[in-house]
Amino acid sequence: MKDKSRKYKIFRIAMLALTISLLIYFCVWNNNLAVLISSFREIHPLWLLGAAACTVVTWVMDALVIQTLTGQARPNDYHYHSAFRVTMIGQYFNSVTPYAIGGQPAQFVVFLRQGIPSGIAISTLVQKFLVYQTTITLFSLAVIIIRSAFFLSKIQGFFALAVIGFLYQSASVLLLLLFTYSPKFTTKIISAVVTLLTKVHIVKKPDETREKVKGQLQFYLDNNKAMKDNRQLTVRVYSYTFIQLLALFSVPFFIYKAFCNPGAPVVDMISAQCFVTMISGYTPLPGASGAAEGSFLVLFRLFFSEKILTQAMLLWRFITYYSSILVGAFFVLRTGQDKMEPIDLAKEAPQG
């Protein structure tokens, strides 16, 4: 118990140090904090609150998706506050790891600590990722079809980057669909991975491990079929995800209005933010650092004056990215102190 307590203490200290370091970097780099403070004199507070509310809506919708998908396997046993904790811990680790690869493993650990069987946890996370990637790909495709001509007429050279981002998103969807609808191919991949892990002495019982993973895969496939057959549930999770993305992409518009700008180019600004997400999505740095800021400055120069463009970018970055680190850190730092959630989910998923 002492060793476990010591590990949790080290973990909390490391996460706190990482969070503080990222915030200090944001404040000190290029004098960002001073620029932000000076901009508050020009900002309409209600519109700024609207931008912050959009970010909160993205978290709320994300948690609703998690609660809905987990609830299909264990109805009435999984509560919203538990789902919101999974969301915020995922937000934190997505923000501080390259390609956002740390979010799902961290969420899986939280699920287990909450008493959720591993099969249900895997099923929920894979289904959620598939829904998210499918929705953002369709959203991006719609934006490319509807508004690409407008941006091409204004900015040269950006479209190739957007297309690369779109293809990257599409490839993720195709890989997940292959995982879902081609169990034989997936089983071969699992077997190859287990063999590799056995050779490097990470897996000690390869046959037993293969059978266990295959059992979890079959549980996922069965659970995914149940979701596909449940049209009402499918509509709900895709609707929640669409609202999540719409709120995320609307943040720049609220910042635009916060600076008392005239007009309401909301469709164009949502489209511009979608392009920013496409362009920065394949950047191998935490939070897509550099690509996110750079693409924002290029695309939103169409809407913001040069005088306030940098201020708008910093506000957008703080509201959509650093706020996830700050709020997520609160949940991460509590992880080591939390007790298991009182949920009656003792039975594990079928093992084959």
Side-chain angles (χ1 to χ4, degrees):
M1 287 295 292
K2 287 184 178 180
D3 288 341
K4 196 172 184 180
S5 178
R6 188 179 296 121
K7 287 180 181 178
Y8 282 139
K9 188 177 291 186
I10 293 171
F11 170 77
R12 290 197 297 271
I13 291 171
M15 292 300 99
L16 181 61
L18 177 62
T19 303
I20 292 172
S21 298
L22 287 169
L23 290 173
I24 290 174
Y25 171 78
F26 174 80
C27 293
V28 174
W29 182 76
N30 214 21
N31 211 22
N32 286 346
L33 184 60
V35 173
L36 270 183
I37 291 173
S38 66
S39 69
F40 285 134
R41 290 174 294 188
E42 310 169 41
I43 291 175
H44 194 293
L46 288 180
W47 283 107
L48 190 61
L49 282 174
C54 283
T55 296
V56 174
V57 168
T58 66
W59 300 338
V60 170
M61 292 297 110
D62 191 86
L64 278 172
V65 172
I66 289 173
Q67 184 190 26
T68 302
L69 291 175
T70 307
Q72 73 166 326
R74 299 286 183 172
N76 304 318
D77 280 331
Y78 194 67
H79 303 294
Y80 183 80
H81 67 86
S82 299
F84 193 78
R85 173 164 298 178
V86 174
T87 284
M88 294 317 303
I89 289 176
Q91 289 285 328
Y92 180 87
F93 283 100
N94 280 338
S95 299
V96 301
T97 54
Y99 286 121
I101 59 174
Q104 287 188 320
Q107 289 177 318
F108 179 72
V109 171
V110 176
F111 269 132
L112 297 184
R113 285 185 55 78
Q114 291 176 340
I116 301 299
S118 58
I120 294 176
I122 292 170
S123 178
T124 295
L125 292 173
V126 175
Q127 286 178 348
K128 178 180 176 296
F129 188 64
L130 176 59
V131 169
Y132 183 86
Q133 287 299 126
T134 303
T135 307
I136 196 171
T137 299
L138 293 174
F139 204 122
S140 301
L141 180 61
V143 166
I144 289 173
I145 293 172
I146 295 170
R147 300 308 295 162
S148 61
F150 168 77
F151 289 98
L152 276 171
S153 68
K154 303 289 184 180
I155 304 170
Q156 298 298 320
F158 97 98
F159 193 66
L161 295 174
V163 169
I164 292 172
F166 174 75
L167 293 175
Y168 177 80
Q169 292 170 353
S170 302
S172 299
V173 174
L174 290 174
L175 187 62
L176 283 168
L177 290 175
L178 186 64
F179 178 85
T180 302
Y181 295 105
S182 182
K184 289 184 179 179
F185 179 78
T186 306
T187 301
K188 289 180 181 179
I189 293 177
I190 290 170
S191 183
V193 170
V194 171
T195 301
L196 177 62
L197 294 177
T198 303
K199 288 181 178 179
V200 296
H201 307 293
I202 294 176
V203 171
K204 296 180 179 179
K205 299 178 179 179
D207 292 335
E208 183 179 326
T209 302
R210 282 191 190 92
E211 290 306 312
K212 186 171 183 179
V213 174
K214 286 177 185 176
Q216 298 294 348
L217 171 63
Q218 187 58 50
F219 179 82
Y220 163 73
L221 294 173
D222 293 342
N223 207 27
N224 188 69
K225 185 177 183 301
M227 174 185 167
K228 189 173 69 172
D229 293 341
N230 188 337
R231 292 185 180 180
Q232 184 179 8
L233 182 141
T234 302
V235 170
R236 282 171 62 195
V237 294
Y238 274 98
S239 297
Y240 293 151
T241 305
F242 176 78
I243 295 169
Q244 177 186 1
L245 290 172
L246 186 62
L248 179 64
F249 295 158
S250 298
V251 171
F253 171 73
F254 281 90
I255 294 174
Y256 174 84
K257 298 302 292 184
F259 280 102
C260 302
N261 285 302
V266 60
V267 174
D268 289 334
M269 298 191 81
I270 288 174
S271 300
Q273 179 56 56
C274 187
F275 280 124
V276 169
T277 302
M278 278 189 271
I279 292 169
S280 59
Y282 52 91
T283 303
L285 292 173
S289 296
E293 292 90 343
S295 54
F296 184 96
L297 291 173
V298 170
L299 285 162
F300 282 92
R301 185 171 281 110
L302 300 175
F303 310 104
F304 293 94
S305 67
E306 290 292 335
K307 180 183 176 183
I308 62 172
L309 180 61
T310 300
Q311 297 172 8
M313 183 273 290
L314 293 175
L315 277 173
W316 164 74
R317 195 64 167 149
F318 188 85
I319 290 171
T320 60
Y321 176 60
Y322 286 95
S323 65
S324 295
I325 295 175
L326 273 174
V327 179
F330 170 78
F331 291 91
V332 170
L333 294 174
R334 288 189 58 193
T335 299
Q337 299 172 332
D338 291 339
K339 294 180 181 179
M340 197 79 78
E341 295 286 344
I343 302 173
D344 185 16
L345 299 177
K347 291 185 180 180
E348 274 282 353
Q351 300 299 317

